[in-house]
Each structure stands twice: as structure tokens, then as C-alpha cells.
């Protein structure tokens, strides 16, 4: 401490009140008149202004923390100069902790602390004191403020923010290299004594590390600490207050220190000579073996680069560094031939890629080894003249055209013949084929560039004497474009024209696309298929065209849709063209050309009807139509089918079939002999579906001679049935299920026919119209025949 600091502290101590005298004194003014304190001060009006003397003289109270006594801790005493000792005054205390932490004797003014106080919780308390008259309860002095300061004691040990620290330092570091700094804190008052003055020391970790007592910086204490010998260290640091003196409190922390790697070890090959074998058939790029140099370092410090620096096989082999395994992979650089050379010698070097200049003295950081490679003889497969083939052909060539030829040979001395084939997995559609003897590839199906522009084939060459030895070569076939596709519209165009359109107005911009890909790029031309009075096409010469109107005004009531054929052609050879048709709708538009409606029916609707009303009307119409359809269907179901399906089908018993009869050969359908021999017919049987009112005795009819014409026989039987009231109504011509409304013909049933032949007159049938002429001819003719006979 300097002399100036000592003098300053002495001066401050002289001005401060006595810290040991804790009694608060009051000085009572002898009378109520204000008295001067110091000198006079003149006001602006020239009158003397007197300053009133204060009745309090204050000192700070000081109190030690962590009091351990059984009684209340005495703080100090308040006393007023107006206190005569007769108990007429009452002392009152207010402020921080008044009444709870601090209490005052109302009569004597003694202040006590009721419990132990911790300075780390609160360093000082501000209170207010006042003396009042017990009888009047009126203050005898104004309220004043004082402070109770808590004196610190060493009751808190230093603490570290972390229980365990983790740090690292490079290996081989020089002595004194900084590792990490640890800092402890002490809750005690640093301005009072040495309670918060911390000194650091090392308890564990010597002699490898040391710590600075004042700062807590941990440093290396030994030179050339090698990570390969020991990597992890545990250091225990102690922080002690009171300047590290006896009786001070302390705290400890643990620091785990790791030595990080540096490149201080060169790579080393475990063997001076390495032997490898490789078949002569190994293709280029084949890995034949590996070499590896070991390095005690880790990470990038252990990374090694391999290279071939000498030998007679430097042009035949390569070596590649495998990063993940740090091995040197030796591969075939050129094709090998056992008949040409059988042994190669290589000198391989391994060198660190990241060398630290500080450790050059430990080098050199590289090593070498000898690799001997023996070539083994094998039966080699055929060898193609190229590693791959590329053929180009136009898409319009004829079938069977040769597009290219592949060549292969047998490298062995036997020189076996070669057989070529296509791998069909690379030509599933069998578009190409290959001549097995000379390797010529030709087309077997038409080519289409628009379907596939490239064909990647795989040709297989095998020895005829040893088909298992095969070689493959990729063949790339590029299909060249021919202009065989016509351009078309790029998209579907929904085109409309406004009714109020003017001549020359743009209504649509069109473009085209073409599947072909000419060398000079696409170029399209647009024109109309025929002159159109309503619209025209204007070519923009940029593969687009504009559709323009040629007249003013359109009416969707007259024509609601126009069809405009547009011819699109390209400029390649041969020129291809197509005709696309634009459908142009006539629509109602507003003044700005925005479409509003394109339906012609919308013109007929009243302007005052809303959308809801139109929907309601439409629903009513649909319901009425459904009712009419249902009524017609029900009425049709009630109507039975007529018994007569054809006016030509007339006989005693009409049997209707849905299939075609067998003609004269069909003897099962009807026996014509029954008509010629009525005697063979069984006795007439009564109908079982009705109950006859009167039973008549059946009459026997004479048999017709064998040479009687069938027609005459039928007419005869017909007359008999007409006059026989007991005959069942098997005559279907006289039976009707429905006659119709208001027919001029009454019932045609034969049930009510007369019993005599003279009662039947069919001439009136001719008066009913042409529909009854056939009946009139049949029945009228029968009468004529009878009369003639």
C-alpha cells in the first residue's frame, strides 16, 4: 500500500464518527426561536435569514453477521436531548425489518436484532426513527433516517461454477503452455479483509501440470509429453480464501485434460517386400492387392499417401489410397499378357500428407517397400477391337439394313473362331439382330426416333471351342431424325369471340409442336385451309399465329359456334402439314371484352328472372316429364299383345313361336294327315277353362276323300264351326281381347253367330276398309265355293 493511500484512509477515518460510539444524541433547542447555524445569509430583500439548528446527530450502526449468542444482539441506542428520563417520550422505529428483525425499547431507545443476520443476503438496512410524547402522541422531533451496516465475516468458502472441467492441450507442448483457466467465486465481502481473496493451488496432477495462484491458469509443467505414452490426465485444483492462509475456507474442482495428437510419428511398412499374384485376364482397373503402412498418430496426422516411385511396372499398375482404411490399393493399369511378361517389380512409397514443420527433426515422415507381382496364365476370352461402339442410323432405313459391325479376336495362340450374339435383355423388343459369324448388326423391325432415340445394346463374343469364355462390349445406336411427323396444336384452345367484336380484333394466339427435331430448329407456318369471311390467321413468324376477326359483330342467336380449319406446316424436308380445327364460340361480353355468357338459350330468358327462379322452372319441367313417362309406361303394360301377330297367319289353332319352324321336313310341328283324315281325330273334348251353359251332343262330320283339296277341306270345316253353337271358340279369328274405342264393327265372336249358314253374310267386311279385305275374301270366297258345289 502506498503512502498516498495510507494518508487518504487516515483522513477519511478522522472525518467519520467514532464507530465504537453507537449512541444517537439529540440536541434540544433552548427556545422555539430559530437560531443560526454557521453564518448569516442575506436574502434578496436584504433581511437576514437564519438556518434552524438540527436536533439529531447521526452515526451509522455496525453489526456483525452470523451472531451465535442466545440473547438478542445489541445494535445501538437512540437518545433525544429532550428526553429528561421521566418516561414521557416514546421511541418509534420503522423501515427495513423494523418490528421483526430489529426492535427498539420505547423508553430507552435501545435497538436489538432478533435473529442471526447474513450479510450475503443483505448488506445494510435503512430505518427511520422518531421520538413522540406519550400523552399527546405528537412528535417532539422530526423523523430522521439512519443505516445499519452488516460487517462481513469469513463464512463462505470459494466455489467453482463447474464440478468437472474438460480441457485439452497438444502433445509435445513446451513447458508453460496454457491449458485452461478455472475461476472460483467467494460470496464474502471483497472490500472487508481477506475473506474473499482466493489463492489457487494444485492437489493432484503434478509434476505434469501447474496452476498460477492468483489467476487459476493451468499450464504444462513437463516438456515433450507424448500422447502415444499417455493421453488422459486428471488434475485437482483447490481455491482457498483468506489469501491461502491458515484458517481460510477452500473448495476444489477436477479438470480432465486430454493430450491431442500432433504429427510426430512417421509411417512405417511392416514388411520390406510384398508378393502379389494376378491373372493375365484381369481387366483394367482390377484391384490385385494392397499394402499398408502403420502410423502411431491419429486423425489427419495419420493420413498417408501412396505412390509408385520406381520399378519395371510403373506403366502397367497404379496405386490408389483408400481414405477410410489408409491402405494402398494396387490396380491393373494396362491389360496383362502372360506370354509377354510374367513378373513385375514396384517400389511403393508411403508419406504423411500433413507434416508439422516443428517435428522435421523426427523425420523423414515417409517409408518405402518393394512389391513383386507375378502374372498367371489363363485361357483368355475374346478381345474386341474397341471398348465400345457408336453407330448412327436414320429412322427411315429399310428392314435388314446393316448399321455397323463389331470385331473381336482370340488373344490365345490357338486363335479359336469367335461367335457373336446380342444380349436380349438389352433389346427386349428385338429391333436388332447380329450375324453370328462376322458381327454385323442389322435391323429386324422399323425404327422410330420419336419412340426411342437411343438403343444401348450389349454384344457378346465367345469362343466356339470354349463357349463359357465370353466378352461383352456396349454398342450405342443413335437414331437420326427424319421429318415424318406433322406439327399439331400445342394445346387444346377454348376460343370465343364477342358479339360486339370489331374487324381485326385478336381473339386467340395459337402455337404448334412437332415430335421431330430438325437440326435447324422448329419452324412452323400457319394458314387457313380455305378463305373464311369471318376470321383470318396472321402468322407471327415465331412459331405462333394470331386469330383475327374479319367483320364487325357476331350473333350467337344466329350462329353460336364457328369451326375454323387451320393448316400448320413445317420447313423440313419432306414438308409435313396437318389441319387443326379451332372451335370458336360466340359469347356475350361486357365493354372490356370479358366473357359473360356463351349459351344461345340465354337470349330467350326474361331479364327479370333470377337464377333461383330459372332453376325452379327447370325442376318443374323435369318432374312433369317424369310423370308423363311413367303414365305412358303403365298404360303400355296394361295393354295385352294381340292374339293375331300376322294377318297372313290364319288357321283353326294359331300357335305362336319365337323360333323358326322346320318347314315341310318338320313332321313334329303339325301332321297334315289330320286334315285329310278327320276320323283319326279324337272325340271333341270340352274346354276345361270355362263351364259351358248347355251341353250339346257332338256331331260327326263326314270324312273328306283323300283327293280333296286341303283348302276346300278347311273351308268346309270352317262353315261347320260357324254354324255349330256347341263348338268351342277355337277359331282365333273370332276372339279379341280388345276391340278398341268407338269401332264401327261390333263383336266378331262366333259365339253369337246364327245357327244356319244363311245367317252369315260377310259382305259388310269390305265396307270397313282395306284392313278387313282379307277376311272378306276368305269368308266371301267360301260362300261362293259352296254355292258352286
Amino acid at each position: 500500500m502506498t503512502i498516498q493511500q495510507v494518508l487518504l484512509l487516515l483522513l477519511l477515518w478522522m472525518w467519520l464518527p467514532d464507530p465504537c460510539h453507537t449512541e444517537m444524541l439529540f440536541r434540544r433547542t433552548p427556545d422555539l426561536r430559530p437560531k443560526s447555524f454557521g453564518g448569516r445569509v442575506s436574502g434578496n430583500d436584504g433581511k437576514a435569514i437564519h438556518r434552524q439548528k438540527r436536533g439529531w446527530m447521526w452515526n451509522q450502526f455496525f453489526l456483525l453477521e452470523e451472531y451465535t449468542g442466545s440473547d438478542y444482539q445489541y445494535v445501538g441506542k437512540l437518545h433525544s436531548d429532550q428526553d429528561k428520563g421521566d418516561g414521557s417520550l416514546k421511541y418509534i422505529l420503522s423501515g427495513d425489518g423494523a418490528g421483526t428483525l430489529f426492535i427498539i425499547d420505547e423508553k430507552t431507545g435501545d435497538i436489538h436484532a432478533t435473529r442471526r443476520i447474513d450479510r450475503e443476503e443483505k448488506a445494510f438496512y435503512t430505518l427511520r426513527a422518531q421520538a413522540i410524547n406519550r400523552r399527546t402522541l405528537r412528535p417532539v422531533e422530526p423523523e430522521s433516517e439512519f443505516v445499519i451496516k452488516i460487517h462481513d465475516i469469513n463464512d463462505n468458502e470459494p466455489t467453482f461454477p463447474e464440478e468437472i472441467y474438460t480441457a485439452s492441450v497438444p502433445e509435445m507442448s513446451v513447458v508453460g503452455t496454457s491449458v485452461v483457466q478455472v475461476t472460483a467465486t467467494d460470496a464474502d465481502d471483497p472490500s472487508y479483509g481477506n475473506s474473499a481473496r482466493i489463492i489457487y493451488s494444485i492437489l493432484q496432477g503434478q509434476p505434469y501440470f501447474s496452476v498460477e495462484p492468483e489467476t487459476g491458469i493451468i499450464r504444462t509443467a513437463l516438456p515433450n509429453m507424448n500422447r502415444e505414452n499417455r493421453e488422459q490426465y486428471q488434475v485437482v485444483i483447490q481455491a482457498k480464501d483468506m489469501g491461502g492462509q491458515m484458517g481460510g475456507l477452500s473448495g476444489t474442482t477436477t479438470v480432465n485434460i486430454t493430450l491431442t495428437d500432433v504429427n510426430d510419428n512417421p509411417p512405417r511398412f511392416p514388411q520390406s517386400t510384398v508378393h502379389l499374384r494376378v491373372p493375365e485376364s484381369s481387366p483394367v482397373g482390377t484391384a490385385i492387392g494392397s499394402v499398408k503402412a502403420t502410423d502411431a498418430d491419429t486423425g489427419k496426422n495419420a493420413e498417408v499417401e501412396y505412390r509408385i516411385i520406381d520399378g519395371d511396372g510403373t506403366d502397367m499398375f497404379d496405386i490408389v489410397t483408400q481414405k477410410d482404411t489408409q491402405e494402398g490399393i494396387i490396380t491393373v493399369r494396362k491389360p496383362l499378357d502372360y506370354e509377354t511378361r510374367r513378373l513385375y517389380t514396384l517400389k511403393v512409397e508411403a508419406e504423411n500428407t500433413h507434416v508439422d514443420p516443428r517435428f522435421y527433426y523426427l523425420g523423414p515422415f515417409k517409408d518405402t517397400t518393394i512389391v513383386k507381382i507375378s502374372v498367371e496364365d489363363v485361357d483368355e476370352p475374346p478381345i474386341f477391337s474397341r471398348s465400345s461402339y457408336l453407330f448412327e442410323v436414320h429412322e427411315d432405313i429399310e428392314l435388314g439394313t446393316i448399321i455397323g459391325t463389331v470385331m473381336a479376336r482370340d488373344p490365345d495362340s490357338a486363335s479359336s473362331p469367335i461367335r457373336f450374339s446380342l444380349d436380349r435383355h438389352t433389346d427386349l423388343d428385338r429391333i436388332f439382330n447380329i450375324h453370328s459369324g462376322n458381327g454385323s448388326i442389322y435391323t429386324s423391325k422399323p425404327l422410330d426416333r420419336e419412340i426411342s432415340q437411343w438403343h444401348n445394346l450389349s454384344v457378346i463374343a465367345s469362343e466356339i471351342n470354349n463357349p463359357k469364355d465370353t466378352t461383352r462390349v456396349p454398342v450405342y445406336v443413335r437414331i437420326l431424325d427424319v421429318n415424318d411427323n406433322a406439327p399439331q396444336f400445342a394445346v387444346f384452345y377454348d376460343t370465343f369471340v364477342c358479339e360486339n367484336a370489331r374487324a381485326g380484333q385478336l381473339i386467340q394466339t395459337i402455337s404448334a409442336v412437332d415430335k421431330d427435331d430438325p437440326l435447324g430448329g422448329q419452324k412452323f407456318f400457319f394458314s387457313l385451309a380455305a378463305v373464311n369471311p369471318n376470321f383470318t390467321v396472321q402468322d407471327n413468324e415465331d412459331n405462333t399465329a394470331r386469330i383475327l376477326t374479319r367483320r364487325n359483330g357476331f350473333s350467337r342467336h344466329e350462329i353460336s359456334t364457328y369451326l375454323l380449319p387451320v393448316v400448320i406446316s413445317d420447313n423440313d424436308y419432306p414438308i409435313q402439314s396437318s389441319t387443326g380445327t379451332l372451335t370458336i364460340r360466340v359469347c356475350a361480353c361486357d365493354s372490356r371484352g370479358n366473357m359473360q355468357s356463351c349459351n344461345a338459350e340465354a337470349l330467350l330468358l326474361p331479364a327479370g328472372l333470377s337464377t333461383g327462379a330459372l332453376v325452379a322452372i327447370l325442376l318443374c319441367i323435369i318432374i312433369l316429364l317424369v310423370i308423363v313417362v311413367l303414365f305412358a309406361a303403365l298404360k303400355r303394360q296394361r295393354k295385352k299383345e294381340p292374339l293375331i301377330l300376322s294377318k297372313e297367319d290364319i288357321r283353326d289353332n294359331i300357335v305362336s313361336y319365337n323360333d323358326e319352324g322346320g318347314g315341310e321336313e318338320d313332321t313334329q310341328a303339325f301332321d297334315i294327315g289330320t286334315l285329310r283324315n278327320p276320323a283319326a281325330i279324337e272325340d271333341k273334348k270340352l274346354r276345361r277353362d270355362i263351364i259351358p251353359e248347355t251341353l250339346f251332343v257332338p256331331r260327326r262330320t263326314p270324312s273328306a276323300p283323300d283327293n280333296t283339296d286341303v283348302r276346300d277341306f278347311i273351308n268346309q270345316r270352317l262353315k261347320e264351326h260357324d254354324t255349330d253353337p256347341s263348338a268351342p271358340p277355337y277359331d282365333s279369328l273370332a276372339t279379341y281381347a280388345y276391340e278398341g274405342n268407338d269401332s264401327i264393327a261390333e263383336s266378331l265372336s262366333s259365339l253369337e253367330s246364327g245357327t244356319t249358314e244363311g245367317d252369315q253374310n260377310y259382305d259388310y267386311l269390305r265396307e270397313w276398309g282395306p284392313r278387313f279385305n282379307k277376311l272378306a275374301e276368305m269368308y266371301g270366297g267360301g260362300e261362293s265355293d259352296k254355292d258352286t258345289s
Side-chain angles (χ1 to χ4, degrees), residues 594-613:
N594 298 322
M595 182 181 64
Q596 293 181 339
S597 175
C598 294
N599 298 325
E601 292 78 3
L603 297 174
L604 304 177
L605 296 175
L609 292 178
S610 63
T611 304

Side-chain angles (χ1 to χ4, degrees), residues 647 764-777:
K647 59 184 179 179
Y764 61 86
L765 295 176
R766 301 181 183 275
E767 300 176 358
W768 290 356
R771 296 182 179 180
F772 296 93
N773 288 341
K774 188 65 177 180
L775 291 177
E777 291 177 1

Side-chain angles (χ1 to χ4, degrees), residues 430-498:
R430 296 182 176 271
I431 299 177
F432 302 95
N433 211 338
I434 189 170
H435 193 282
S436 61
N438 57 20
S440 299
I441 301 175
Y442 58 92
T443 59
S444 59
K445 287 185 180 180
L447 304 178
D448 192 347
R449 189 200 68 87
E450 286 70 36
I451 296 178
S452 179
Q453 186 176 357
W454 286 89
H455 295 273
N456 301 325
L457 308 178
S458 180
V459 176
I460 304 173
S462 60
E463 298 179 7
I464 295 179
N465 298 331
N466 188 10
K468 294 182 179 180
D469 289 338
T470 61
T471 305
R472 294 173 179 264
V473 67
V475 177
Y476 307 105
V477 181
R478 180 183 180 186
I479 310 301
L480 301 180
D481 185 41
V482 174
N483 191 27
D484 57 348
N485 292 277
Q488 298 177 347
F489 281 133
V491 295
F492 173 77
Y493 295 100
D494 185 10
T495 309
F496 70 92
V497 61
C498 297

Side-chain angles (χ1 to χ4, degrees), residues 151 203 224 321 379 440 724 767:
H151 268 310
L203 301 182
N224 300 328
T321 303
D379 186 7
S440 299
D724 189 1
E767 300 176 358

Side-chain angles (χ1 to χ4, degrees), residues 267 269 291 293 304-310 319 321 328 346-352 364-371:
F269 282 106
V291 293
V304 178
E305 187 72 25
Y306 297 91
R307 64 178 64 91
I308 299 175
I309 61 174
D310 197 5
I319 188 168
T321 303
L346 304 176
K347 187 176 183 180
V348 178
E349 180 185 73
E351 183 179 10
N352 282 136
F365 287 85
K366 57 185 176 181
D367 194 16
T368 58
T369 188
I370 301 299
V371 179

Side-chain angles (χ1 to χ4, degrees), residues 195-484:
S195 298
R197 183 187 174 191
I198 300 175
I199 296 298
Y200 300 94
S201 61
I202 185 168
L203 301 182
Q204 176 183 330
Q206 294 174 330
Y208 307 103
F209 298 94
S210 63
V211 62
E212 293 184 357
E214 300 291 338
T215 61
I217 297 176
I218 302 175
R219 299 181 182 275
T220 58
L222 283 181
N224 300 328
M225 286 192 293
N226 198 336
R227 184 199 65 85
E228 287 73 31
N229 297 331
R230 182 177 177 182
E231 185 176 3
Q232 298 289 337
Y233 295 87
Q234 189 176 72
V235 179
V236 178
I237 302 298
Q238 175 184 264
K240 191 173 184 180
D241 59 13
M242 298 299 292
Q245 298 176 2
M246 253 330 217
L249 303 179
S250 64
T252 61
T253 187
T254 300
V255 182
N256 293 326
I257 300 176
T258 303
L259 294 184
T260 57
D261 186 56
V262 296
N263 192 6
D264 57 341
N265 294 279
R268 290 290 181 262
F269 282 106
Q271 297 176 347
S272 60
T273 304
V274 178
H275 295 273
L276 297 176
R277 294 180 178 273
V278 55
E280 65 170 337
S281 60
S282 299
V284 174
T286 302
I288 63 175
S290 64
V291 293
K292 184 175 182 180
T294 60
D295 194 322
D297 297 321
T298 60
K300 69 176 184 177
N301 296 319
E303 292 182 1
V304 178
E305 187 72 25
Y306 297 91
R307 64 178 64 91
I308 299 175
I309 61 174
D310 197 5
D312 54 9
T314 55
D315 59 338
M316 301 298 294
F317 300 94
D318 276 333
I319 188 168
V320 180
T321 303
Q322 192 76 20
K323 296 297 183 181
D324 53 348
T325 61
Q326 289 297 306
E327 291 180 333
I329 308 300
I330 300 176
T331 60
V332 178
R333 184 176 182 180
K334 291 182 179 180
L336 303 174
D337 190 0
Y338 174 80
E339 289 74 18
T340 303
R341 188 161 191 167
R342 304 179 183 183
L343 181 63
Y344 294 90
T345 301
L346 304 176
K347 187 176 183 180
V348 178
E349 180 185 73
E351 183 179 10
N352 282 136
T353 57
H354 302 87
V355 180
D356 194 335
R358 296 176 301 170
F359 306 105
Y360 277 156
Y361 65 93
L362 298 176
F365 287 85
K366 57 185 176 181
D367 194 16
T368 58
T369 188
I370 301 299
V371 179
K372 294 185 177 182
I373 303 174
S374 300
V375 180
E376 297 179 345
D377 186 25
V378 294
D379 186 7
E380 299 177 84
I383 299 176
F384 283 94
S385 60
R386 301 180 189 175
S387 59
S388 63
Y389 293 85
L390 172 62
F391 301 135
E392 293 184 347
V393 60
H394 287 88
E395 61 178 325
D396 60 345
I397 64 171
E398 297 181 357
L399 297 181
T401 302
I402 296 176
I403 64 173
T405 302
V406 297
M407 292 182 292
R409 64 178 180 85
D410 184 8
D412 296 328
S413 57
S415 186
S416 174
I418 305 302
R419 180 183 182 87
F420 299 94
S421 62
L422 274 177
D423 186 356
R424 288 304 175 184
H425 292 90
T426 61
D427 184 29
L428 297 176
D429 296 332
R430 296 182 176 271
I431 299 177
F432 302 95
N433 211 338
I434 189 170
H435 193 282
S436 61
N438 57 20
S440 299
I441 301 175
Y442 58 92
T443 59
S444 59
K445 287 185 180 180
L447 304 178
D448 192 347
R449 189 200 68 87
E450 286 70 36
I451 296 178
S452 179
Q453 186 176 357
W454 286 89
H455 295 273
N456 301 325
L457 308 178
S458 180
V459 176
I460 304 173
S462 60
E463 298 179 7
I464 295 179
N465 298 331
N466 188 10
K468 294 182 179 180
D469 289 338
T470 61
T471 305
R472 294 173 179 264
V473 67
V475 177
Y476 307 105
V477 181
R478 180 183 180 186
I479 310 301
L480 301 180
D481 185 41
V482 174
N483 191 27
D484 57 348

